């Protein structure tokens, strides 16, 4: 894949992943008590699609870094590996939640009932996303693939994710901001990441047509 193709694939995948995440997050706040099955399963399905697109983005980003600057291929590989791990552990969490909802004969709130997901969505997810963001930020900064805001904002967002790692010490009430499964630890961080990824996806896709280094490149 040439650089232009990698930019377009990464950009489109980032946009689609972000759009799915943006649709998913509000579905968690439609009901104050245990939500109906359709709500839980719908938001999980949308989230699964988002993670699939995120995996494509991470793969294309690795190729983009490799083509643009072979010396920094390791950074692209780090972004790919950590993005894949983040997607995998979140998919496992989604599977546990879906299984609990399907098996129950009454509405359950899987964010509370499925205790195995507490630190998968929380502390572990925050760590892996921070590593992914750091790798993306380093790759962007060192190779000048994208505008400076993309790299700098990735570092800032990575730091914010790390700040939520100790949340596993603060209980399991999703109504609390800083709980292991709290709305700040999970929903808020997910929403912020969604809009950051949307901006990154748009910038990456547009750079496939405007980046000066692509003059004369094959489509």
């Amino acid at each position: 894949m040439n650089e232009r193709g990698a930019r377009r694939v990464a950009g489109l995948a980032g946009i689609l992943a972000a759009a799915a995440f943006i649709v998913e997050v509000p579905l968690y706040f439609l009901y104050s008590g245990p939500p109906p099955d359709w709500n839980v399963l719908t938001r999980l399905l949308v989230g699964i699609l988002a993670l699939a697109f995120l995996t494509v983005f991470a793969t294309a980003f690795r190729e983009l870094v490799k083509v643009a600057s072979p010396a920094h291929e390791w950074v692209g590989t780090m972004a790919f590996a950590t993005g894949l791990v983040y997607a995998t552990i979140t998919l496992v969490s989604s599977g546990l939640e879906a299984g609990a909802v399907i098996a129950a004969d009454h509405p359950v709130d899987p964010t509370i009932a499925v205790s195995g997901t507490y630190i998968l969505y929380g502390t572990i997810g925050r760590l892996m996303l921070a590593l992914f963001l750091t790798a993306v930020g380093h790759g962007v900064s060192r190779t000048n693939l994208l505008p400076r805001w993309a790299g700098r904002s990735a570092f800032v967002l990575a730091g914010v994710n790390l700040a939520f790692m100790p949340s596993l010490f603060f209980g399991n009430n999703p109504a609390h901001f800083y709980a292991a499964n709290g709305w700040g630890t999970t929903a808020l961080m997910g929403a912020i990441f969604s809009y950051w990824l949307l901006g990154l996806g748009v910038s990456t896709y547009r750079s496939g047509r405007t980046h000066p280094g692509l003059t004369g490149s094959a489509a």
Side-chain angles (χ1 to χ4, degrees):
M1 182 183 294
N2 59 30
E3 185 175 350
R4 176 171 298 180
R7 286 178 183 273
R8 288 179 174 176
V9 172
L12 182 59
I15 293 169
L16 292 174
F21 281 133
I22 290 170
V23 170
E24 177 194 16
V25 171
L27 294 175
Y28 281 85
F29 298 95
L30 292 181
Y31 299 92
S32 57
D37 290 0
W38 73 264
N39 172 267
V40 178
L41 297 178
T42 298
R43 72 197 190 197
L44 290 175
L45 178 60
V46 173
I48 290 169
L49 291 174
L51 292 166
F53 288 126
L54 181 63
T55 302
V56 175
F57 171 82
T59 305
F61 183 80
R62 177 181 64 176
E63 293 302 311
L64 177 56
V65 173
K66 178 181 178 180
V67 172
S69 178
H72 293 91
E73 181 181 353
W74 69 271
V75 181
T77 301
M78 179 66 73
F80 167 73
T82 53
L84 184 60
V85 172
Y86 172 75
T88 300
I89 62 176
T90 308
L91 287 169
V92 170
S93 301
S94 299
L96 293 173
E97 287 196 1
V101 169
I102 294 171
D105 58 2
H106 60 278
V108 297
D109 185 350
T111 62
I112 299 175
V114 187
S115 57
T117 66
Y118 292 168
I119 67 167
L120 291 176
Y121 279 133
T123 299
I124 297 175
R126 300 285 66 80
L127 173 61
M128 298 314 304
L129 191 56
L131 291 174
F132 170 73
L133 289 164
T134 300
V136 171
H138 188 69
V140 169
S141 300
R142 291 295 182 179
T143 62
N144 296 316
L145 289 171
L146 296 168
R148 291 181 179 177
W149 70 262
R152 292 174 178 175
S153 60
F155 290 132
V156 171
L157 192 52
V160 175
N161 273 271
L162 290 176
F164 277 90
M165 285 188 62
S167 61
L168 80 167
F169 292 104
F170 293 89
N172 66 332
N173 187 341
H176 292 172
F177 177 79
Y178 201 75
N181 56 343
W183 65 269
T185 308
T186 57
L188 178 63
M189 294 309 302
I192 294 174
F193 175 67
S194 301
Y195 287 102
W196 174 85
L197 184 61
L198 178 62
L200 186 73
V202 171
S203 181
T204 304
Y205 188 83
R206 292 181 62 185
S207 72
R209 295 179 296 174
T210 61
H211 195 272
L214 299 179
T215 304
S217 298

